[in-house]
Amino acid sequence: MLNLLFFGRLGDLASGIDKAIPYHIDLATPLAIRNKLAEQHPLLTKELSEPQVLVSVNKMIVKWDHPLFDGDEVAFLPPVTGG
Amino acid sequence: MPLNDDDFMRYSRHLLMGDIGEAGQEKLTQAKVLIVGLGGLGCPVALYLAAAGVGHIDLCDPDRVDKTNLQRQVLYRTEDCGELKVACAKDRLQALNSGITVNALAREVDVEILAGPPLTESYSAVIDCTDNVAARQLINTACYQQKTPLISAAAVGWEGQIVAFDFRHYRRLCFSCIIDYKSTEPMMNCANSGVVGPVLGVMGSLQSTAVMRMLLGFFEQHGELQRYDGKRGQWLTMQCAVDPRCPICGPTDS
Ligand SMILES: [Zn+2]
């Protein structure tokens, strides 16, 4: 399984999404997960495609093409740049 | 510069602490810091560092106080509207603590400011309280090159972020490793989407704490990124990774 976390305001858009999804070789990068979400959740996918969205895997910030393994926790973090 | 009688009273709650004490207070007194941005983050940071006795604080912001700032920028009063933020902030900080030096730099941050006060060595720490990614990248580049500790925070809506870099001791991993140097501004910012005042207080207080730890010499979270979601009361702590192709800390450094 992969455990998905949509942090902060992304959580508002991801309320109807299954947060535990079966691990599959076709969903083995954060980018692949984002592309998969695009089919049913265009609004969330639009937010995930904003510049400066961060992805973390098992509490480590990674790139979108980072390889995923069964059991990974994948967190998506919306951009925060104000002050 | 040894502490005087007034200092012993003023900083007594630091002096009582074994890991601050007189030696630690003197480190704070001797420190020179730059706060870039005197908005929602910069206000609490400036207040706490001035109160703590950080001896030299430079304030950099070109903006004037606007009525829409007052909901969260806790240094300013209604009658300050139209005045320079750094001038108002300097007055308030010196009223709080006349034993420290505060300078008002009413212009956009640039490499000259980041190089440090004239005729002195570079800053002990730079605190990034800006509201845009271009300034954050400029500050990161200068801090990396000068080996100046950088404490960077941001907020929007109910959310906050903090990440700090101790470039004195670590030469890999910087802000540009996390946020691509060429990345553009996201759609959502405080001006078009709003921000909750106390969330800025939380992040600014964390920044001040990190600055004190940097100055006292026990900061060990280089490149650790923390996120706060004030709407749900959640925290997430993550480690950032070195980008081997980072244009700032990557190719030329060993
Ligand atoms: Zn870097």
Side-chain angles (χ1 to χ4, degrees):
Chain A
M1 300 295 280
L2 295 172
N3 294 301
L4 307 184
L5 175 65
F6 298 92
F7 197 75
R9 62 187 186 273
L10 291 179
D12 295 338
L13 298 171
S15 52
I17 290 175
D18 214 344
K19 304 302 188 304
I21 59 171
Y23 177 78
H24 189 275
I25 195 68
D26 292 339
L27 282 179
T29 66
L31 183 63
I33 293 175
R34 185 174 81 185
N35 291 340
K36 170 82 174 154
L37 287 168
E39 298 162 15
Q40 288 184 5
H41 307 279
L43 209 59
L44 175 64
T45 310
K46 183 171 170 288
E47 289 297 318
L48 288 174
S49 307
E50 278 269 300
Q52 301 180 40
V53 172
L54 296 178
V55 188
S56 89
V57 173
N58 305 330
K59 307 285 191 291
M60 174 74 91
I61 303 278
V62 299
K63 305 289 179 199
W64 284 89
D65 60 357
H66 185 85
L68 298 176
F69 297 96
D70 200 11
D72 281 350
E73 180 205 76
V74 186
F76 299 95
L77 308 140
V80 177
T81 66
Chain B
M1 191 168 27
L3 304 177
N4 61 34
D5 287 350
D6 180 69
D7 293 338
F8 274 97
M9 287 294 284
R10 179 179 286 267
Y11 305 120
S12 62
R13 297 304 185 269
H14 281 166
L15 302 177
L16 286 167
M17 295 177 66
D19 46 13
I20 301 181
E22 215 175 313
Q25 190 61 47
E26 283 180 17
K27 284 182 189 168
L28 298 179
T29 302
Q30 285 158 16
K32 292 186 174 67
V33 304
L34 172 67
I35 301 174
V36 187
L38 265 292
L41 293 166
C43 284
V45 168
L47 277 167
Y48 273 121
L49 295 184
V54 171
H56 180 123
I57 302 176
D58 286 351
L59 309 171
C60 175
D61 195 318
D63 291 347
R64 291 174 184 272
V65 179
D66 184 85
K67 190 168 277 181
T68 61
N69 300 151
L70 300 175
Q71 158 258 11
R72 63 195 182 282
Q73 301 184 14
V74 293
L75 270 171
Y76 312 121
R77 302 171 187 167
T78 305
E79 64 262 30
D80 294 333
C81 288
E83 303 294 326
L84 282 169
K85 286 184 177 179
V86 287
C88 299
K90 179 185 158 126
D91 286 351
R92 304 287 136 72
L93 299 177
Q94 296 274 223
L96 168 63
N97 191 347
S98 61
I100 62 168
T101 301
V102 181
N103 289 318
L105 309 170
R107 55 192 173 103
E108 295 279 357
V109 68
D110 57 26
V111 288
E112 190 189 343
I113 287 175
L114 289 162
L119 306 177
T120 68
E121 54 195 77
S122 55
Y123 287 109
S124 319
V126 170
I127 306 113
D128 170 7
C129 302
T130 58
D131 60 0
N132 67 91
V133 73
R136 295 184 191 287
Q137 297 285 6
L138 176 77
I139 295 166
N140 174 68
T141 304
C143 286
Y144 178 80
Q145 288 169 353
Q146 294 158 197
K147 302 185 177 173
T148 304
L150 167 61
I151 301 92
S152 181
V156 71
W158 290 92
E159 293 171 64
Q161 169 177 296
I162 180 168
V163 60
F165 305 94
D166 190 351
F167 292 131
R168 295 170 301 184
H169 304 306
Y170 298 91
R171 302 306 293 157
R172 298 305 302 272
L173 188 50
C174 73
F175 187 82
S176 301
C177 291
I178 309 164
I179 304 293
D180 191 302
Y181 194 80
K182 295 187 290 274
S183 76
T184 52
E185 293 287 351
M187 288 288 286
M188 193 171 168
N189 60 46
C190 295
N192 67 25
S193 307
V195 63
V196 176
V199 170
L200 292 152
V202 169
M203 303 319 294
S205 299
L206 273 183
Q207 268 184 301
S208 315
T209 312
V211 173
M212 288 183 64
R213 289 157 62 207
M214 284 284 188
L215 299 177
L216 293 168
F218 42 78
F219 185 88
E220 290 178 0
Q221 287 174 287
H222 179 78
E224 188 179 286
L225 186 141
Q226 287 180 294
R227 278 295 184 103
Y228 174 55
D229 174 0
K231 187 172 177 180
R232 295 168 185 78
Q234 288 179 342
W235 287 92
L236 202 55
T237 300
M238 294 150 289
Q239 183 58 44
C240 299
V242 172
D243 179 355
R245 288 159 301 179
C246 175
I248 306 306
C249 74
T252 55
D253 203 74
S254 56

